[in-house]
Amino acid sequence: MSTSPDPRIDSRSRATAVSSVTSRLGRDLRQGRNLDLYIAVGVAVVIATLGVFGVVDAKVLAAATLAVLAVMAISGLSSRHEVDGVRTALNRIAAGESGEVAAERFLSSRPPAVDTEIATATDVAIVGVTLTRTVRDMLPVLDRRLRAGARVRVMLIDADSAANVEAVARSRKADTPEFYRHRVSATLDLLRVLASSGSSETALQIRLLPFVPTFGLCLVDADDVHGRIRVEMYQHRTLEPNPTFRLRADRDAWWYALFRGQFETMWESARELRPGTGSHAVGSGER
């Protein structure tokens, strides 16, 4: 047995739909949203009505139609740009959730100052090529820490090894091994001055590498839960500044452990130099 639809239900549905559209229209107008589209629709309705009753001629009607289409096209482009912006934002959020960050947020072309962190450190470890500027800039704070009983370990290249020639091949700043020999010598002179500040003969330890490290390191209280490591990536034959980044023991556990282990590996590969001797002299840890 067939039943006919209840006209009251259809009437209520139409009333609800009209009410919803009216409510949306009022909300958009109050908030100033989609005004261009509403104006275009209004103009189109008016022009179409005038055209039907012959109030305007075909040229005016055609021009108005093109104007309305132009407004619709502009609105469409604006919506597309908004969608692209939303997509870009979502991609950034997704990248952040997966651990990806923009290089500008992670890498720096200027090594951050570490004086504040070293000011209270009990253990400092540094490795680099010649460390001439690094040791010179950190001289006062290293002196204070050694006097306070801290341990300082420093590693740089051995000017009497093949590392000296390798450094020249990788650099645009030097064309002879003497360039690095002089810089290493200057650093060792500064370290010998620091040696007298130590609370013991082993407070300041120096070792020389038989190769050029691919990155520089500055470790501050590396064994502590709040330890810090600054990594400087050395480049090949360029005058551009070296990119650097920082690692924290309480945030970057895996990578922190990797670079901390790299320092110890290099330390075991280097020969010991007693601060009060020349670069040829080594201690009991000679390799």
Side-chain angles (χ1 to χ4, degrees):
M1 178 178 179
S2 62
T3 58
S4 60
D6 190 339
R8 292 174 297 178
I9 295 177
D10 291 343
S11 177
R12 285 197 298 268
S13 298
R14 287 193 295 271
T16 301
V18 170
S19 176
S20 176
V21 171
T22 303
S23 175
R24 183 181 302 171
L25 174 61
R27 184 170 59 252
D28 283 354
L29 292 177
R30 286 193 301 270
Q31 297 176 356
R33 299 171 56 188
N34 301 319
L35 292 180
D36 53 346
L37 295 180
Y38 289 125
I39 292 173
V41 171
V43 171
V45 171
V46 170
I47 295 299
T49 303
L50 294 176
V52 169
F53 290 101
V55 177
V56 295
D57 59 21
K59 291 183 178 180
V60 175
L61 186 60
T65 302
L66 290 176
V68 171
L69 290 176
V71 172
M72 299 293 287
I74 293 173
S75 177
L77 287 174
S78 177
S79 299
R80 184 171 298 178
H81 288 317
E82 290 177 358
V83 171
D84 289 341
V86 171
R87 184 181 293 112
T88 300
L90 290 175
N91 288 338
R92 289 176 179 173
I93 294 174
E97 290 295 326
S98 64
E100 298 179 9
V101 297
E104 290 76 10
R105 294 179 55 189
F106 186 66
L107 297 175
S108 172
S109 59
R110 288 189 177 184
V114 293
D115 286 10
T116 303
E117 295 176 350
I118 294 179
T120 57
T122 59
D123 189 272
V124 180
I126 309 169
V127 60
V129 180
T130 65
L131 295 176
T132 306
R133 183 182 61 188
T134 300
V135 172
R136 183 184 67 240
D137 292 345
M138 296 173 60
L139 203 62
V141 67
L142 290 178
D143 178 65
R144 290 192 294 269
R145 297 321 302 153
L146 284 169
R147 293 181 184 278
R151 180 182 69 161
V152 176
R153 292 186 292 169
V154 181
M155 254 192 306
L156 61 160
I157 65 169
D158 188 348
D160 295 324
S161 71
N164 203 15
V165 177
E166 181 185 346
V168 174
R170 294 183 54 165
S171 174
R172 284 190 60 192
K173 300 177 182 179
D175 53 6
T176 67
E178 291 304 311
F179 175 86
Y180 285 100
R181 189 181 302 277
H182 291 317
R183 292 177 70 88
V184 168
S185 178
T187 303
L188 294 178
D189 287 341
L190 292 175
L191 292 174
R192 291 187 184 100
V193 173
L194 277 179
S196 60
S197 302
S199 57
S200 67
E201 291 185 357
T202 59
L204 174 63
Q205 301 175 35
I206 305 171
R207 290 196 178 183
L208 304 178
L209 285 165
F211 54 83
V212 177
T214 55
F215 47 79
L217 297 173
C218 179
L219 297 84
V220 180
D221 290 331
D223 296 333
D224 191 81
V225 66
H226 299 296
R228 299 288 186 270
I229 299 178
R230 186 187 73 191
V231 184
E232 180 177 2
M233 296 184 292
Y234 295 143
Q235 302 180 69
H236 183 75
R237 299 191 66 80
T238 178
L239 298 178
E240 296 298 324
N242 292 322
T244 67
F245 59 91
R246 304 179 77 170
L247 299 170
R248 288 168 34 183
D250 57 354
R251 182 192 63 191
D252 311 299
W254 194 90
W255 293 107
Y256 185 92
L258 173 68
F259 281 96
R260 176 185 166 196
Q262 283 290 285
F263 179 89
E264 298 300 337
T265 298
M266 286 188 283
W267 185 257
E268 293 301 318
S269 302
R271 68 182 180 94
E272 183 180 356
L273 174 68
R274 292 175 181 172
T277 65
S279 62
H280 292 281
V282 294
S284 58
E286 180 178 3
R287 289 169 175 76

